[in-house]
């Protein structure tokens, strides 16, 4: 079987030019990355959503660079043909430009990421330029940026009024001018997702940003229905893993307690 070509920054730019949708999905571990890659996902994002999806934090704010390097490295071991993007966690790039370059470097050098993602527009310009100077591709992220939760006053849709929408459009153009190869647009009205996508020549990848972005990203645990109590409007369920896991655990508990497992079919014989 021939391997599909490796997805690079150039591939994603070409996909936008040719009108081919970019499929991005988060992963935080080796087996999930293998399955996603075999399925043909274009970009695997080791998101700081790992904090909520896997580590049990209430927000993404406590996630550390060590945790991101650890999970990025696990995903990199799958050697994906998909592009591997490592997310920069809160306070790994906000305090100083040199911190930002060092931490982006850790995601690439120790984690095996091929690009990094960071949240924010204009105020991140010096940081983005410095990371690019270190030859690390940068994916921008604007709109509902979860690391700014306290400043935004909650997880609210952004850019609803015309002034806020214009500001986000300007931020997107600035990210393009800085040299970002792609922009994640999160939690904005679909009309704004479309406006930004038409205004920039780099690909946009939406999450809660409507159908007109160049691509789509979703948190893997959300689309698999690991925790169906978390059901925001922008999530589509493709499986009900949480329910299947609970049913399997329940069946196992009953089998062991009632002596059905292990039976001789699942035991070794001396003969
Ligand atoms: O952390 C993450 O998974 C993300 C995506 C939702 C874009 O930032």
């Amino acid at each position: 079987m021939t391997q599909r070509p490796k997805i690079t920054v150039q591939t994603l730019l070409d996909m936008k030019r040719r009108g081919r949708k970019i499929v991005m999905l988060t992963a935080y571990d080796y087996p999930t990355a293998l399955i996603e890659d075999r399925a043909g996902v274009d970009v695997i994002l080791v998101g700081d959503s790992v904090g909520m999806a896997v580590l049990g934090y209430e927000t993404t704010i406590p996630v550390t660079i060590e945790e991101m390097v650890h999970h990025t490295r696990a995903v990199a071991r799958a050697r994906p043909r998909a592009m591997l993007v490592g997310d920069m966690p809160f306070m790994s790039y906000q305090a100083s430009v040199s911190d930002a370059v060092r931490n982006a470097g850790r995601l690439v050098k120790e984690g095996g990421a091929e690009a990094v993602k960071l949240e924010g527009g204009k105020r991140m310009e010096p940081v983005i330029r410095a990371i690019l100077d270190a030859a690390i591709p940068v994916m921008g992220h604007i709109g509902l940026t979860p690391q700014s939760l306290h400043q935004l006053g909650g997880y609210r849709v952004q850019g609803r009024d015309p002034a806020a929408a214009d500001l986000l459009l300007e931020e997107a153009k600035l990210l393009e001018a800085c040299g970002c190869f792609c922009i994640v647009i999160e939690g904005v009205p679909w009309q704004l997702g479309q406006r930004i996508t038409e205004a920039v020549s780099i690909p946009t990848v939406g999450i809660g940003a409507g159908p007109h972005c160049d691509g789509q990203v979703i948190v893997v645990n959300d689309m698999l229905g690991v925790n169906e109590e978390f059901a925001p409007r922008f999530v589509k369920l493709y499986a009900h893993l949480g329910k299947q896991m609970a049913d399997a655990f329940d069946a196992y508990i009953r089998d062991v307690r009632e002596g059905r497992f292990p039976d001789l079919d699942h035991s070794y014989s001396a003969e």
Side-chain angles (χ1 to χ4, degrees):
M1 199 175 74
T2 53
Q3 271 196 326
R4 67 186 174 118
K6 176 74 189 160
I7 307 284
T8 64
V9 164
Q10 199 50 52
T11 318
L12 300 180
L13 294 169
D14 285 348
M15 286 174 81
K16 168 146 185 155
R17 244 170 263 134
R18 296 187 356 242
R20 270 197 60 200
K21 290 277 187 186
I22 295 167
V23 182
M24 177 159 141
L25 197 50
T26 69
Y28 317 107
D29 59 54
Y30 171 79
T32 309
L34 266 188
I35 296 167
E36 287 182 10
D37 197 51
R38 283 178 190 154
V41 160
D42 300 309
V43 182
I44 297 180
L45 169 69
V46 186
D48 64 352
S49 50
V50 67
M52 294 163 86
V54 173
L55 301 176
Y57 298 145
E58 276 185 25
T59 70
T60 56
I61 287 171
V63 177
T64 65
I65 187 71
E66 276 70 31
E67 286 164 337
M68 290 309 303
V69 167
H70 174 81
H71 285 276
T72 307
R73 200 187 278 152
V75 169
R77 287 189 196 109
R79 299 182 174 277
R81 306 307 293 166
M83 178 173 209
L84 175 51
V85 179
D87 211 2
M88 299 202 61
F90 183 58
M91 276 302 138
S92 70
Y93 59 101
Q94 287 90 344
S96 75
V97 168
S98 56
D99 270 5
V101 175
R102 204 166 298 114
N103 286 322
R106 287 194 66 187
L107 287 176
V108 173
K109 197 174 165 108
E110 299 172 44
E114 294 150 353
V116 298
K117 177 173 83 56
L118 56 86
E119 297 181 7
K122 184 160 178 47
R123 61 187 169 183
M124 285 303 146
E125 187 175 351
V127 162
I128 293 170
R129 290 194 188 278
I131 296 174
L132 288 168
D133 280 347
I136 299 172
V138 178
M139 177 181 278
H141 184 164
I142 56 170
L144 197 182
T145 44
Q147 292 174 17
S148 309
L149 167 72
H150 301 309
Q151 196 175 46
L152 299 177
Y155 297 110
R156 298 166 196 279
V157 173
Q158 301 294 301
R160 277 196 195 275
D161 66 79
D166 288 349
L167 201 67
L168 281 174
L169 179 63
E170 287 319 304
E171 301 255 71
K173 287 182 183 166
L174 186 105
L175 291 181
E176 177 183 23
C178 282
C180 287
F181 70 94
C182 181
I183 306 171
V184 168
I185 308 175
E186 178 164 354
V188 303
W190 66 262
Q191 294 88 341
L192 180 57
Q194 179 173 23
R195 230 177 119 199
I196 294 174
T197 300
E198 286 170 1
V200 295
S201 63
I202 55 173
T204 60
V205 174
I207 172 163
H212 302 293
C213 293
D214 298 304
Q216 178 64 36
V217 60
I218 193 165
V219 169
V220 65
N221 290 37
D222 295 348
M223 60 96 78
L224 292 178
V226 175
N227 173 15
E228 287 191 44
E229 278 160 36
F230 181 70
R233 185 183 175 92
F234 63 85
V235 169
K236 179 170 175 182
L237 283 177
Y238 288 85
H240 302 278
L241 281 202
K243 163 113 181 49
Q244 276 184 277
M245 287 166 75
D247 289 348
F249 299 151
D250 189 49
Y252 169 69
I253 290 167
R254 277 187 283 109
D255 273 3
V256 172
R257 293 207 174 125
E258 291 162 25
R260 281 188 298 273
F261 179 80
D263 54 13
L264 292 186
D265 283 348
H266 296 91
S267 302
Y268 299 106
S269 166
E271 289 137 33

